[in-house]
Amino acid sequence: MNHDYPHVPLEFHEYPPAEMAARARAFADELMRRRTVRDFSDRPVPREIVAAAIDAARHAPSGANHQPWHFVAVSDAALKRRIRAAAEAEEKAFYSGRASAEWLEALRPLGTDWQKPFLEIAPWLIVVFAEQWGRWPDGRRRKNYYVPESTGIASGFLLACLHHAGLATLTHTPNPMAFLGETLGRPKNEKAIMIIVAGYPAAGAVVPTHALQKKPLGDVATFL
Ligand code: IYR
């Protein structure tokens, strides 16, 4: 390791193994209760909760620590209405011909269609942008690395924090989503990768049983 650049002592919290196991189990159990929700209440959610979740996301690891992301948290009713209208126009085309028969078949158990009322009803839409390239202080283009991986991890942190706070979330990926950069005035070097919808679930909200079926640990993990 070269330590030509300054370093500081690591702040590390060590727990006894039994406590670590209990912490891991409790955190896993909590994350296992997260459900994708598509039926939201319009009950307001304080902005500081969303800001705290973005604080978590911006501390995610990223390629060369370039933090190639930007989060636009939308609560403005007029903007949400525009996003809904644009998303539904794309989704209409998707569900009525642009998607392959196989894709539509895969979505059937979820019960989704072109209508996206949650984009207007939920109090917060957090649009995640991936920064394809940045700038050096002198203005030259600066390459970013592992952009999909970095923004994916940051989105995971964001979702985990919102869930831990007690909010319902949905990862929504209108197809295609170039309209989001235009609507939200983002620069051309940023590409929208998903909308994270956050709020309270509507009274009586349901989830598809299909979503509860997870591959067993033994099928997704190999210990060697
Ligand atoms: N974007 C569409 C379709 C859709 C695609 C996948 I892959 C999903 O997991 C869910 C939906 C929509 O939001 O309806």
Side-chain angles (χ1 to χ4, degrees):
M1 291 284 288
N2 97 66
H3 283 183
D4 294 347
Y5 283 81
H7 284 65
V8 291
L10 168 71
E11 204 185 304
F12 183 77
H13 298 272
E14 183 170 328
Y15 307 98
E19 193 179 338
M20 260 201 287
R23 289 172 63 89
R25 191 65 263 164
F27 194 57
D29 285 345
E30 188 185 347
L31 287 177
M32 287 163 72
R33 285 193 296 272
R34 183 195 165 274
R35 300 282 167 257
T36 282
V37 168
R38 294 191 173 80
D39 199 4
F40 282 85
S41 151
D42 63 359
R43 230 168 117 189
V45 164
R47 174 192 176 129
E48 66 173 324
I49 300 170
V50 173
I54 297 174
D55 256 343
R58 75 185 177 85
H59 283 80
S62 64
N65 191 33
H66 283 194
Q67 303 156 57
W69 43 60
H70 190 88
F71 304 92
V72 180
V74 181
S75 63
D76 179 79
L79 264 181
K80 286 194 294 181
R81 199 159 40 243
R82 280 174 59 194
I83 291 171
R84 177 185 179 181
E88 286 186 335
E90 298 291 5
E91 297 290 352
K92 245 182 202 160
F94 175 87
Y95 281 96
S96 62
R98 200 164 54 207
S100 66
E102 183 179 2
W103 195 345
L104 292 178
E105 188 54 31
L107 294 177
R108 260 157 53 95
L110 300 177
T112 54
D113 61 24
W114 65 270
Q115 296 182 78
K116 305 296 171 194
F118 52 76
L119 291 173
E120 215 176 323
I121 295 170
W124 290 100
L125 307 179
I126 307 164
V127 186
V128 183
F129 287 90
E131 188 193 66
Q132 306 305 109
W133 46 268
R135 296 261 183 214
W136 292 101
D138 67 6
R140 279 180 307 125
R141 271 192 191 204
R142 184 173 84 154
K143 228 177 120 46
N144 285 336
Y145 306 95
Y146 299 102
V147 173
E149 293 83 352
S150 304
T151 49
I153 296 168
S155 300
F157 276 32
L158 184 57
L159 284 169
C161 191
L162 291 168
H163 172 69
H164 185 65
L167 289 174
T169 52
L170 162 64
T171 48
H172 177 50
T173 48
N175 181 357
M177 46 189 144
F179 72 89
L180 287 166
E182 293 150 25
T183 308
L184 300 173
R186 298 311 303 166
K188 290 262 184 286
N189 60 330
E190 291 180 9
K191 190 178 144 211
I193 60 162
M194 74 180 84
I195 304 176
I196 294 179
V197 184
Y200 290 94
V206 294
V207 294
T209 56
H210 174 78
L212 308 181
Q213 292 157 26
K214 300 300 185 190
K215 294 178 184 173
L217 182 65
D219 285 10
V220 302
T222 304
F223 293 83
L224 300 175

